[in-house]
Amino acid sequence: MPAEKTVPVPARPLPQARPTEAAFFDVDNTLMRGASLFHVGRKMYERGAFTLRDAAGFAWKQFTFLVRGENLADVESVKVSALSLAAGIRVEEIATVGYEVYDEMIESRIWPGAKALAEQHLRVGRRVWLVTATPIEVASVISERLGLTGALGTVGEIEDGAYTGRLVGEILHGKAKAHAVAELAEREGLDLARCWAYSDSHNDIPLLSLVGHPVAINPDARLRHHANAHNWPIYDFRAGRRAATLGLKLATVGGAVYGLWRSYTRFRR
């Protein structure tokens, strides 16, 4: 019998790069559930860098963040606490903690829907950056683990390989995010009218308003109202929404307090 002829299947063309387009994602409550800095504090407590009282303070801030969302007072409070606790810590230790925190605590809290949006942008050739008040060391780890382009985050001052407890510039929050993205767009040759931005907080309206495609993810009440008024897309990945998840949030903080108490009793023994 004559050999069967096969017709070669043409390779699927790779998506063309879109050098002037990008997507910018907030992290806390947008890309992941809760506040990433809380998990950094928890890990540092496990390493003996913080006291039980400090760790309990981080747990309470995490609870209020989950229940009522992000506000400027909470962000400022976390900033002050984190800066004072970080003074004297070696840079290489924070880098190690960043990977541990992602693998043990953050990865399981990534919203699958938000991750899918980021991956879709990458597939069609857009670059994807995280833009967050989270320390740049942790933001960079999250970006690396997810295969994203890079991250913009809060930068701590370093002297002789250790953190001083002061910032370089300001905390990357609110209007500061919009300024940082505008500077990045100028350096990278991005057309902001062809870019996307994603956030959960009304504090990020300056960033969302900067791009041509703003999207609200798990929005707080004020952002939801603003998004509806301006016909912005809204995605909500929270299972059961607020009323149905309040019990889970209460259970979460209860578990955190119980875990801290158990750690304390073991330490006393």
Side-chain angles (χ1 to χ4, degrees):
M1 294 179 62
E4 183 179 352
K5 294 183 179 180
T6 59
V7 178
V9 177
R12 179 179 297 178
L14 295 174
Q16 292 184 342
R18 306 184 186 210
T20 64
E21 300 179 17
F24 304 98
F25 282 78
D26 173 49
V27 172
D28 296 344
N29 272 354
T30 301
L31 186 64
M32 63 169 283
R33 175 171 52 87
S36 52
L37 191 58
F38 162 75
H39 301 293
V40 176
R42 175 181 165 186
K43 175 57 69 173
M44 294 303 293
Y45 167 73
E46 292 176 0
R47 286 171 162 258
F50 302 155
T51 66
L52 180 65
R53 181 177 179 180
D54 296 328
F58 273 104
W60 176 251
K61 289 181 176 68
Q62 168 79 338
F63 170 66
T64 58
F65 186 80
L66 282 167
V67 170
R68 71 187 184 194
E70 176 186 294
N71 64 63
L72 289 172
D74 289 339
V75 171
E76 183 65 23
S77 175
V78 170
K79 181 194 78 172
V80 171
S81 299
L83 287 174
S84 62
L85 294 172
I89 295 177
R90 304 293 299 177
V91 174
E92 58 269 21
E93 184 174 5
I94 292 294
T96 300
V97 165
Y99 286 102
E100 293 179 358
V101 166
Y102 182 86
D103 294 339
E104 298 174 16
M105 304 169 187
I106 292 179
E107 183 177 24
S108 62
R109 291 171 170 82
I110 298 291
W111 298 110
K115 181 181 178 183
L117 288 171
E119 291 173 342
Q120 175 63 18
H121 285 296
L122 292 172
R123 277 195 296 271
V124 299
R126 296 187 190 101
R127 288 172 284 177
V128 178
W129 274 280
L130 301 181
V131 187
T132 174
T134 296
I136 186 61
E137 293 81 3
V138 179
S140 296
V141 169
I142 298 173
S143 174
E144 178 186 333
R145 284 288 198 251
L146 293 175
L148 308 182
T149 307
L152 302 175
T154 300
V155 180
E157 183 184 68
I158 299 170
E159 289 182 0
D160 300 324
Y163 294 96
T164 65
R166 297 184 294 271
L167 288 180
V168 176
E170 58 183 320
I171 188 169
L172 203 64
H173 185 262
K175 292 181 179 179
K177 285 187 179 180
H179 294 156
V181 166
E183 292 175 357
L184 176 68
E186 185 175 355
R187 291 196 307 270
E188 299 290 330
L190 300 175
D191 180 358
L192 289 172
R194 300 173 64 86
C195 290
W196 276 253
Y198 299 83
S199 179
D200 70 294
S201 173
H202 69 278
N203 293 311
D204 287 340
I205 289 176
L207 169 61
L208 294 168
S209 301
L210 188 67
V211 301
H213 304 281
V215 181
I217 291 184
N218 307 325
D220 59 28
R222 290 173 62 181
L223 178 57
R224 183 179 293 275
H225 176 78
H226 188 92
N228 283 327
H230 291 79
N231 294 317
W232 292 355
I234 297 175
Y235 296 110
D236 204 319
F237 301 127
R238 295 168 293 192
R241 297 287 296 281
R242 297 181 187 278
T245 58
L246 181 58
L248 177 60
K249 293 170 182 176
L250 291 171
T252 299
V253 75
V257 172
Y258 175 75
L260 291 170
W261 176 77
R262 290 287 295 172
S263 299
Y264 176 69
T265 56
R266 286 198 298 269
F267 175 76
R268 288 290 299 273
R269 288 199 296 267

